Amino acid sequence: MERENVKVLKQLPSSIYFWTLSVLAFAALFPASARAVDDVVRTESKGKARISQDQALTPPMGWNSWNAFQADIDEQKIQAIADAMVKSGMRDAGYDYLVLDDGWMAPERDKDGRLVADPRKFPSGMKAIGDYIHRQGLKFGIYQDRGKLTCQQLPGSFGHEQIDMEIFAKWGVDYIKMDSCFAESNGRYSSDDYAIYRKHIQATGRPMVLSISDFGNAAWAWGGKESAQLWRTSHDIYPWMGSVYNCAETSCGDRAIHPAFGGLGQFAGPGHWNDPDMLQVGNLKNLKADRKAIADRAHFSLWCMLAAPLMAGNDLRAMSKDVQEVLTAPEVIAVNQDKLGVQGYKVFIDGALEVYNKPLADGTTAVLLLNRGNKVEDITVSWDKIGLSGKQPVRDLLVTKGSRRFHSVVYGSATRSARASNA
Ligand code: GAL
């Protein structure tokens, strides 16, 4: 359909929160703002060559055990998750890392100082679980911490950086989430620490992705991209929308949190991503049943627009159809995985209403209309906010494939009839 501008009419509000959103793609767009961002991305890509990698050229996608299970993981559960990633279509939708978070290791290293799997939880050992993950066509991710202890007070990597990276490589690890609990006493800056891990990773010859997990301690500013492919921009995410929005806010920074969080989008690009933390899609609490799906879509669409790593965190063994549909929505994922690698940015804010724009490699742009408030409201996007003019084709990317179901009601301000046909 063609529009002179676009309005989204909200559905019924929930008592606590209400979100309605739509992701729309417009054809033939090269606004000046997109060109400016593109220049930044090209410059960033040159810098990235310093760690000489062609990894994570789009935001990493996968599943991580923490949000669903915390430290309560074991061999059987992880195997079942690997199976579920295949069966549910998650793997084929692009989620290829299966990351074991804190809690996999035994409380003591062995007599040679090597990390070992907790023998009660992973009796077959870490190489075996890695092999299982690989056999499912997935990649193996693992958690460690650059302090003496992990956040769960298990053995951390401080003082064992080299042998830990070597054993990870032997186990077939593809991705390392390196946390920062107890790291204050290392006597080193985080930039020193992560450079040490990068050096030892490179020495193994195994191209392991390094994820900086440091509660959002400004890795974008101290040059995290020289050592790692992604870095946290926030404190931990929790399964409620207030936390989701706080985490997003740090990554798309309008300085509401702190001036240092302004303009973080300029640091994201192919090979180096801002990470507002793992997804809570499917886990969100304090919502009425009929609001859950809307909240999940808002959370997921926001992460896709922000070019955030997509690490699902729900129990995939018991995933509802609604949640599965959100997490595997092909065109929304395509926005996240767009090869231009531009992080979407806010172009409009009016109280609880926000509009985000994300220029895409094919010259179109994706727009997210978000209502963070608790009452029904219309959002109008005027083309000048996203560098367009005239009539433009518009498409709702959340339309369920094969059905006429729209997830929000989209209509042009001048053509209310479209509302009826979409509803
Ligand atoms: C936190 C980290 C979480 C999780 C947890 C494990 O520091 O931010 O994502 O990894 O530790 O103990």
Side-chain angles (χ1 to χ4, degrees), residues 66 101-102 143 151-152 177 179 181 213 215 232 236 278:
W66 185 253
D101 208 284
D102 208 351
Y143 167 102
C151 297
Q152 297 303 299
K177 169 176 171 178
D179 212 355
C181 281
S213 179
F215 323 111
R232 284 273 295 278
D236 288 5
M278 301 168 295

Side-chain angles (χ1 to χ4, degrees), residues 46-57:
K46 273 185 218 151
K48 189 213 95 200
R50 282 202 290 272
I51 62 167
S52 71
Q53 286 179 5
D54 53 0
Q55 288 176 289
L57 294 180

Side-chain angles (χ1 to χ4, degrees), residues 154-210:
L154 291 161
S157 269
F158 181 69
H160 298 86
E161 297 83 2
Q162 183 174 350
I163 55 168
D164 287 0
M165 297 309 102
E166 285 171 0
I167 205 156
F168 286 173
K170 267 199 198 124
W171 290 344
V173 166
D174 302 297
Y175 177 109
I176 303 166
K177 169 176 171 178
M178 187 57 69
D179 212 355
S180 297
C181 281
F182 303 102
E184 319 81 68
S185 51
N186 287 2
R188 302 190 294 227
Y189 292 121
S190 27
S191 49
D192 301 331
D193 264 346
Y194 286 104
I196 289 170
Y197 289 107
R198 169 53 53 200
K199 186 181 83 190
H200 292 307
I201 288 171
Q202 246 149 256
T204 69
R206 189 168 175 89
M208 297 182 272
V209 165
L210 182 60

